[in-house]
Structure formats: C-alpha cells, structure tokens
Amino acid sequence: MAVLAFIGKRLAAAGLLLGFLSVLTFGLLVAAPGSPEHVLLGSRPSTPETRAAIRAEHMLDEPVAVRYVHWLGKALDGDFGTSSYSREPVSSVIGQRLPVTAALAAYGVGLTLAVAVPAGLIAGLRRGSAMDQGISTAALVATAIPPFVLGLLLLYGFAVALGWFPVYGSGGIAHLTLPAIALASGQAAIVLRQTRAAALDLAGQDYLTFARARGLARSRIWISYAMRNASLPVLTVGGLTLATYLTGAVFVERIFSLPGLGSLLIQAVGQKDIPLVQALVLLGGAIVVAVNLLVDLAYLAVDARVRHGVIAP
C-alpha cells in the first residue's frame, strides 16, 4: 500500500505539472504575434467569409479560458485537433514520426549504457591508472564536441567519404547508427563520469574488501556489489538521457534528414502550425514526466534502502 501511495503521489504531481505546461503553452501561442486565422489559413486565399468560418471553427471569438477548456477536454479524449498545414489529424501526424525518434532514442540509450557504465566502473575502480586517465580524457573530449558537429563529421567521414552508411533518410539500423553515435557521445561521457564518481565512493567500502577476501569472482563483485550499489546516480542520469533523446534530438535529426519528432517540431514552428506545436510540447512534457516516474520505480526495485524508506511509516 505504501508503494501504491508513493506512485499515486507521483502521478498526482505529474498531472499538475502537465496541466501547468498545457496552460503555459496555450497562453504563449495565443500571445504570439500574428492573426490566428491567418496562421491557420496559411498561404491559401481567403475571403471575409472564409476567415469568419475559421474563427467559428476554432472558437477564436470566444474568451481564451473557454478556448483552453475546450481544447483540454478534446486533448484528454485523445483529439489534439487538425494540423493547419497538412490538414491531417495531429495524432496521426505525430504517430507517423514517433517510431523513428523512439528507435533512435532506444539505440542511443543502448550505446550510452553499453559503453559508459562499464568504462566508468573500470575507471573508478582503477583510479589513477593509465586506463583511468585515458577513459577520463576520452570522456572530456566527447563532452566538448557538440552533437551536431560530431554528426557532420560522422556524416562526411563514414557516409560520404567511405560510403559505409546511408547519407540520409530512415529505413533500418544502418540509417540510425551514425545519428545514434552523434546523439550518444556527449551523454555517454556524462553517464561515464557519474558512474566513475559512484565507483570511487565504493572502492574503499568494507563490503567490497570483504567480498575480495572471500575470493569471489571479479565479475560477481562488479555486478552484484559494485554496479548494484552505484545504480542510483546512473539511473538518474540514464533517465534524463532517455528523456533528452526523445525530446531533444532536433539537430541530429535535421543533419541526417531523419523524419522524427525533432524535425517535425522545427517544421511545425516554421509553418506556425499551432495545433501541432501544442501537441508536441505536451507530448515532450509527458515523456519527461513518464521517464522520471519510471526512474523512481526503478529506485524501489534495485535499492532496498529506498524501498524501506518508502514503506517505513
């Protein structure tokens, strides 16, 4: 029951946050310069009758509060309106682009964890060694290179010059490899440094010394003791990394011409597609909230101290 109460509090806080985000987004778009009916009409020819019909369709003559409540009620039912540019349902437009961004994010997170966590543990448990210095230097270099710069270098070197990967578009793992590397490089360096810092705290702990004295295998010591006890900061940074990949891969998607949510957001802003921008911002907030909730639940699963703290009265 205590865990359910914990989850309930998190869900209530998430609902309040998304509500505030929806109000803020709606208010900013209403306050943006330009006539709403002209934005919705785009480049199509208009007459007074057409503009009046647009205003009636989108309730532009109603007070802002009434329009927001109407939009929120439809959004809660899964109806985010119609794109003013493509004239397709917003949910359909987003649904076409979401799999690309989701696949890129999953690939990037996989690369990040597969490289950063083992490297961070090795660097932390072998503090001061040549391997530690090499790993730390590589992490520093990766942090200093912006993802879009690395993306351009990878695109020219491995796609244009060598021809090992496709230059643009989506279609399979080959199309996602270079974008995932560009996206994961800087975040992997951050996860690596967090893992190294956690491993440094663990290196001198008595239970690790006792485990070595018992003659346990090095792999068991790392997996059952070191990684488990260093998991909380790694989970925190890993969750933020996943949220960043799902919501912030704008420049990488543009460089590699991937039809994902990032390029869709840029396109929607440029076309002043208000319904689509509203839905994308709300989706981004929902992703961040959901990832943070999953991280909180992961805390309960991997660390008994957190679990006992939640269950204890």
Side-chain angles (χ1 to χ4, degrees), residues 274-299:
I274 293 177
L276 188 53
V277 173
Q278 286 176 321
L280 287 171
V281 172
L282 195 60
L283 175 62
I287 288 173
V288 173
V289 168
V291 169
N292 278 279
L293 178 60
L294 291 176
V295 170
D296 288 340
L297 295 178
Y299 287 166

Side-chain angles (χ1 to χ4, degrees), residues 76-134:
L76 291 175
D77 290 334
D79 182 6
F80 292 94
T82 302
S83 168
S84 58
Y85 182 78
S86 64
R87 310 305 297 174
E88 297 180 29
V90 168
S91 56
S92 176
V93 175
I94 294 177
Q96 295 170 8
R97 300 292 192 99
L98 182 59
V100 176
T101 298
L104 177 60
Y107 197 175
V109 169
L111 289 177
T112 298
L113 297 181
V115 174
V117 174
L121 283 174
I122 293 172
L125 296 177
R126 298 186 179 182
R127 179 181 182 181
S129 65
M131 183 172 293
D132 177 27
Q133 295 177 2

Side-chain angles (χ1 to χ4, degrees), residues 37-38 41-52 54:
E37 62 266 27
H38 290 162
L41 282 167
S43 59
R44 290 172 292 172
S46 64
T47 62
E49 292 77 12
T50 304
R51 291 194 295 273
I54 289 291

